Amino acid sequence: MTPLTIILLLTAVITCQAFNLKTTRADFPKINLQRHNGTDPNLAYSPPVYPSPWMDPEANGWQEAYAKARDFVSQLTLPEKVNLTTGVGWMGERCVGNVGSIPRMGLRGLCMQDGPLGIRFKDYATAFPVGMTAAASWSRNLWRDRGKRLGRTHYQSGVDVQLGPAAGPLGRNPTGGRNWEGFSVDPYLSGIAFADVITGIQSEGVVATAKHWLGNEQERFRQAGEARGYGFNISESMSTNMDDKTLHEVYAWPFQDAVHAGVGAFMCSYQQLNNSYGCQNSKLMNGILKDEYGFQGFVMSDWQAQHAGVSTAAAGLDMTMPGDTTFNSGLSFWGGNLTLAVVNGTVPEWRIDDMAMRIMAAFFKVGRTVGNQPEINFSSWTQDTFGPANMAAGENIEQINYHVDVREDHAYHVRESGAKGTVILKNNGVLPLKKPKFIAVVGEDAGPNSHGPNGCSDRGCADGTLAMGWGSGSVEFPYLVTPDSAIQAQALQDGSRYESILDNYDWEKISQLVARPNATAIVFAYAGAGEGYINVEGNEGDRQNMTLWRSGNELIKNISAINPNTVVVLHTMGPVEVDEWYDNPNVTAILWAGAPGQESGNSLVDILYGKQSPGRTVFTWGRAHEDYGVDWLREANNGNGAPQDDFEEGAFIDYRHFDRDYPPGSEKAPIYEFGYGLSWSTFDFSNLQVEKRNVQPYKPTTGQTIAAPVLGNFSTDLADYTFPSDVRYLYQFIYPWLNTSSSGEEASADPHYGQTAEEFLPPGATDGSPQLRHPASGPNGGNSQLWDIVYTITATVTNTGSVMDDAIPQLYLSHGGEGEPVRVLRGFERVERINPGESRTVRMELTRRDISNWDTVSQNWVVTPFEKTIWVGSSSRNLALSSVLP
């Protein structure tokens, strides 16, 4: 039996999903950890929302792209439309994800490539700082520049869709494995950075992908197969369970910013949300993303995150990646099965039209034109110059790597971003260094990987300095400037004596070195994290704890017991426990440098020697792991079914949790609060002014959508969709054609065969008639009035010190009312190069969305009647100014 015949026999599975669903899209049901009224009343339940919303031809900013997409898709045959939606299979072509080409129209297959830090697997490309380090700069200029440089890098390599940036995971768990790919645990800060990077990427002609939608907050149990490989007997991936208010106000918040910024693609996540898989969760994709947020682009699956066929299309999935059911299986839930489902009426024509339209509209929106795509000049599967263009099949030997250098001058940005994203947590006057007489650097985190910077696949090891996380979000280093080499170069320039020991355990030599007279000891320690398919020293993606690796705590304590001038540098993927040594007077400075990318050492030197102004922390530094009130789910808790992770803390994560439970002065108050960081100078804040704008009262969205557009008739004769005789079949390649015109007979084992889709799909799933609009809906992020500026806030920041420096004022808001956080971030600005004695006016704006709460009853954003207060200051707990909003 051929692979294509096997695919067709899967039709009975993928077109006959059992749905016990009773509501339709018009009901706008809420998610508040409601329990399923079916077979298991103890499990959280995600209500159904159908049909899948279609594009709005009048969506602001999308009109031209819509018109071009409609013109293009109207000319396509059904197999050509399916080809746009279905990946060709893992390693089927050069990119990590590829959809089929449409040669007749001049469109080569679209290339999807990781990721958030640059171009995965490519040589001669830049390794940018991780998102968390970039965010710690609090610099929108740097974020936009980061996006533009990432976009240009991908464009010059032939990539059509960049698989990044990320705002999920948000960072609920302080030791979450992929927190570093995103920006900050705060939804507001993360959303601004997310949108700025997206805007930059798409300005360079590359479609950005907002990922991972939604609730993928830990690595363990995210995929059942991966978890079984680690010895867990589970049959389904875990379910992240959260209520509707938490979803809107915390985890979905930055993704709404992405839609507002015009992002072209979303990637749905591996795990389930309220016991419905992310890539077939109709509430998430149809109800919130496409209806409420008015998203006009396309939703692709994460790699192997699709678990069914027709039901995923009905639930709002537009593209399956990498196309095969499992890597290199040659089988697909879509491909020929999707063609058959449209022909037999299971998937309505308007749905396949909308899928293709969304993909092409995103393509046109970033300025792309058919027939003018840049050539893909690299291969994800080898860096050899020649090899198979179709690696899985081992066929079509040709030049596949052109070794094109796309680095330009990005190193300057990387160095600046890494420096301005370094946070000074403590400084007893030792910094900035001024030609110290003797520098003694200690710790393997200062030095090189013994096998080279790319010596571990996908950076999955602990060897040498930590400059990047591990997993699919990693990239190849074109080079890596280690702290050891950079500090030594500066020491040589200054005439300082310099020695280093890059071994955490050679205590005899270390103690002799740091005990020498005049030694400024700079000790390095680290704690990495990454994606769950790689286990690094017992850390299966998520960090097992908040301790430093390789006895980092003991190294710091031992050195500071001998040396009275010990500077600590931390490369970590989030907070670590520093309670045992941070207040030791011999520890004269502490710096968090995150994971700074290829210019790691140079960025650090720029801060150690005062050449750049530092950043502010984007998470809270608690005293102990348990003080955060949350942890990732460590053991399966639902028999061999899907592990259940209830987010019972709601919005109270990170500083929101600490502010509520551990106020200043309490035993478990954080050591360094969110937004904290020392500067080279001192700043005063004064003259807080609040101006209320004259805005119209908020009106919920009403009315109906247009009917689902149908772009042309197609044949229902299966003979028209059989595999063409003039196409050579490639092993494991996913095609849109049928293997035989008797597919209907092959699928007759399906008990639903012969029934209409309405008889077994959820109510409304195939309904293409005009639909009621969600009350909070609107194109580009929801009801347009949510983005009205309601208040303008100004304050004066004055440099009261003796050196020029950057200030980062922050604005916090209390929504008032029972059960709300003490305060939440709602504004900030990095004010650069303020001279001593100089004052600058800082202007920040509050939108209606900023001051609103999500109401689960009306399913809308509501400004509650409670008194609302704002604060302005230098961190979440150092707030000099306050005012009640009028």
Side-chain angles (χ1 to χ4, degrees), residues 302-372:
D302 205 337
W303 272 230
Q304 297 186 120
Q306 185 187 27
H307 296 273
V310 165
S311 60
T312 61
L317 188 66
D318 301 302
M319 179 188 288
T320 175
M321 279 288 122
D324 34 15
T325 55
T326 56
F327 290 163
N328 300 118
S329 67
L331 307 177
S332 180
F333 289 117
W334 281 5
N337 278 310
L338 183 56
T339 300
L340 178 61
V342 175
V343 172
N344 68 21
T346 308
V347 172
E349 185 183 359
W350 61 259
R351 177 79 268 261
I352 188 67
D353 286 347
D354 185 62
M355 293 156 73
M357 281 278 294
R358 287 174 174 274
I359 294 166
M360 291 309 301
F363 177 87
F364 290 126
K365 188 177 189 295
V366 298
R368 290 294 186 98
T369 57
V370 174
N372 194 32

Side-chain angles (χ1 to χ4, degrees), residues 610-621:
K611 301 175 185 180
Q612 288 281 11
S613 183
R616 306 293 183 266
T617 184
V618 293
F619 48 80
T620 298
W621 293 71

Side-chain angles (χ1 to χ4, degrees), residues 124-164:
Y124 302 100
T126 304
F128 288 81
V130 302
M132 186 182 289
T133 299
S137 71
W138 296 65
S139 171
R140 298 192 65 179
N141 290 333
L142 280 175
W143 299 340
R144 295 187 190 105
D145 189 45
R146 175 188 178 92
K148 289 181 70 67
R149 292 173 183 274
L150 283 168
R152 194 153 64 249
T153 296
H154 281 80
Y155 184 88
Q156 292 169 350
S157 303
V159 176
D160 301 288
V161 182
Q162 178 183 336
L163 302 177

